[in-house]
Amino acid sequence: MSDDYCATPAAPAPVPDQADAGPPFAECVLCRKPTEYPESYKGITLCPVCEWQEAQRTACSG
């Protein structure tokens, strides 16, 4: 009987580091997660989740 069917699988490919994903991104001012804005962006930077929540608050504040 051959042990070929029990061959060790190849190691998974390494997960790319977030720093390798493109330019450095600014942190959200509320939750500190990366935003879609570069670090050089001037003004308040919010992640997509906090932007959505802020839009909901301002839309409902009559």
Side-chain angles (χ1 to χ4, degrees):
M1 189 181 248
S2 175
D3 287 334
D4 290 339
Y5 68 93
C6 291
T8 305
V15 177
D17 188 10
Q18 185 68 11
D20 295 337
F25 295 102
E27 288 184 340
C28 177
V29 296
L30 298 177
C31 69
R32 315 277 286 167
K33 291 183 181 177
T35 66
E36 298 172 342
Y37 303 103
E39 280 186 347
S40 61
Y41 183 81
K42 302 291 184 206
I44 297 173
T45 55
L46 299 174
C47 70
V49 173
C50 291
E51 276 187 6
W52 182 81
Q53 290 174 344
E54 186 65 23
Q56 291 295 318
R57 280 192 288 271
T58 58
C60 297
S61 64

